[in-house]
């Protein structure tokens, strides 16, 4: 059951769904205007959010896309407000307009290694038999960054890229010390093995660390992360990026070194992160 969460007076969001890969959808409101973050993975998803917002007396004036992955853009069909996105996102959507999402074509793209089973399965589950996706092109395109004044509340949208998607953008709300990370901190899923590369990860982390935030929202995480949780996560990634180069992708040595530093056994999630860096080193 997805519910509308009130993070603060100015920020609400709809919780994600793992099975159908629905990301968080959010609304940031100032005295003048409201901006919606991401369009959702289907018209139904977008509609659910709109209905929830209506009940809370919120309506959007702009919509910004964090990146062009299907689960963030398939809800665009019924969006009647100006849509803002990064240049690469715009071009990706243009390319996606040519694609068919029927089983046969999805399976063929999975076979060819262009689509991944995880997304193909979620698309089938979310969309049922309605696979005719209308993807209107966004209206406002930026390259590096754009700032939106919502009236006493500001949204700074910056293109950060990274391993997950080259078009990833983050949205910073300085007055609320909140940073929407989209999917940018997740691994590259569109590869034979899910991975992080040391170079991209370090570049991305530097960009994230430039913002002073207390609350971090990752699109597929159930709950926002605190400053301390984010610092711990980013430190692990920085350590892995350094170790994977020092040990030339030797997983055992990386794990030993990390465990020694932490003075305990590594958790499942830490082991997974190490694995993603090892995969990225071999790429
Ligand atoms: Zn994504």
């Amino acid at each position: 059951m997805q519910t509308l969460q009130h993070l603060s007076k100015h920020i609400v969001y709809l919780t994600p769904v793992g099975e159908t890969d629905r990301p968080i959808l959010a609304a940031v409101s100032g005295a003048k205007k409201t901006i919606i973050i991401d369009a959702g993975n289907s018209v139904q998803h977008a509609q659910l959010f709109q209905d929830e917002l209506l009940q809370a007396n919120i309506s959007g004036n702009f919509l910004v896309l964090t990146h062009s992955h299907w689960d963030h853009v398939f809800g665009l069909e019924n969006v009647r407000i100006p849509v803002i996105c990064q240049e690469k996102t715009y071009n990706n959507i243009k390319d996606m307009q040519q694609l068919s999402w029927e089983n046969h074509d999805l399976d063929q793209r999975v076979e060819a290694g262009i689509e991944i089973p995880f997304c193909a399965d979620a698309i089938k589950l979310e969309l049922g038999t309605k696979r005719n996706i209308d993807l209107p092109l966004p209206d406002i395109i930026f390259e590096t960054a754009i700032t939106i004044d919502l009236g006493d509340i500001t949204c700074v949208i910056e293109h950060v890229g990274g391993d997950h998607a080259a078009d990833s953008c983050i949205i910073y709300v300085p007055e609320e010390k909140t940073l929407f990370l989209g999917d940018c901190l997740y691994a590259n899923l569109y590869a034979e093995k899910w991975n992080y590369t040391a170079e991209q990860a370090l570049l991305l982390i530097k960009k994230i660390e430039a913002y002073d935030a207390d609350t971090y929202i990752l699109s597929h995480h159930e709950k926002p992360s605190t400053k301390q949780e984010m610092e711990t996560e980013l430190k692990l990634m920085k350590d892995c990026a350094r170790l994977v180069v020092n040990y030339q992708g030797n997983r055992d040595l990386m794990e030993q070194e990390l465990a020694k530093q932490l003075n305990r056994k590594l958790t499942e999630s830490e082991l997974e992160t190490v694995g993603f860096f090892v995969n990225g080193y071999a790429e």
Side-chain angles (χ1 to χ4, degrees):
M1 183 60 187
Q2 289 174 274
T3 50
L4 196 72
Q5 306 289 315
H6 294 256
L7 189 68
S8 75
K9 212 180 118 198
H10 299 282
I11 301 175
V12 298
Y13 69 91
L14 191 65
T15 49
V17 180
E19 205 186 11
T20 47
D21 211 22
R22 284 186 171 184
I24 274 175
L25 301 180
V28 182
S29 304
K32 299 186 300 185
K33 298 274 196 296
T34 291
I35 193 164
I36 307 291
I37 299 176
D38 278 333
N41 75 347
S42 64
V43 169
Q44 288 78 4
H45 188 203
Q47 191 60 51
L48 173 68
F49 188 44
Q50 245 185 60
D51 293 345
E52 293 279 333
L53 288 179
L54 202 68
Q55 285 198 15
N57 275 320
I58 301 168
S59 65
N61 303 100
F62 309 101
L63 186 147
V64 60
L65 297 170
T66 57
H67 62 305
S68 63
H69 283 162
W70 78 277
D71 49 320
H72 300 257
V73 303
F74 273 15
L76 278 174
E77 190 170 327
N78 285 347
V79 171
R80 300 281 177 259
I81 52 178
V83 176
I84 304 165
C85 77
Q86 205 271 338
E87 204 174 13
K88 287 189 179 73
T89 309
Y90 182 89
N91 290 329
N92 290 348
I93 293 173
K94 218 173 190 176
D95 291 342
M96 288 161 81
Q97 287 180 329
Q98 310 302 320
L99 299 178
S100 150
W101 308 93
E102 299 297 335
N103 281 356
H104 171 77
D105 300 293
L106 269 174
D107 294 344
Q108 214 169 42
R109 289 206 292 278
V110 170
E111 194 72 34
I114 309 161
E115 188 51 87
I116 54 169
F118 173 70
C119 290
D121 292 345
I123 288 171
K124 291 172 188 172
L125 202 60
E126 172 69 32
L127 300 175
T129 51
K130 200 229 162 245
R131 302 286 176 79
N132 204 356
I133 309 296
D134 186 19
L135 284 176
L137 284 172
D139 308 278
I140 300 162
I141 299 118
F142 68 94
E143 199 187 332
T144 321
I146 187 169
T147 301
I148 316 278
D149 178 357
L150 303 170
D152 304 327
I153 292 285
T154 319
C155 274
V156 180
I157 306 163
E158 188 196 349
H159 172 233
V160 293
D163 286 304
H164 180 80
D167 63 333
S168 273
C169 294
I170 58 178
I171 296 124
Y172 180 56
V173 188
E175 295 85 357
E176 300 280 296
K177 283 199 174 188
T178 298
L179 187 60
F180 290 90
L181 292 167
D183 287 359
C184 79
L185 263 185
Y186 299 132
N188 173 9
L189 313 184
Y190 285 84
E192 205 169 311
K193 290 177 180 168
W194 292 13
N195 71 77
Y196 289 119
T197 61
E199 195 191 359
Q200 292 275 344
L202 291 175
L203 277 172
L204 174 67
I205 291 167
K206 216 174 176 181
K207 289 176 187 168
I208 293 173
E209 285 179 337
Y211 291 100
D212 177 21
D214 291 331
T215 308
Y216 296 82
I217 297 171
L218 288 93
S219 289
H220 296 275
H221 273 46
E222 199 62 43
K223 277 196 189 125
S225 300
T226 62
K227 192 180 198 72
Q228 200 189 353
E229 284 165 346
M230 188 49 58
E231 276 172 3
T232 305
E233 183 61 33
L234 295 182
K235 182 174 185 308
L236 172 69
M237 288 180 69
K238 283 190 280 189
D239 285 343
C240 285
R242 183 173 48 82
L243 292 174
V244 81
V245 175
N246 285 356
Y247 291 125
Q248 296 174 2
N250 185 314
R251 189 175 186 139
D252 290 340
L253 292 177
M254 287 173 70
E255 287 176 7
Q256 281 169 28
E257 177 71 34
L258 268 181
K260 204 170 99 187
Q261 270 180 35
L262 295 164
N263 202 19
R264 59 165 170 78
K265 272 177 80 175
L266 301 183
T267 64
E268 278 299 316
S269 118
E270 286 163 347
L271 289 169
E272 188 183 60
T273 303
V274 172
F276 288 165
F277 275 94
V278 171
N279 293 344
Y281 192 80
E283 281 280 306

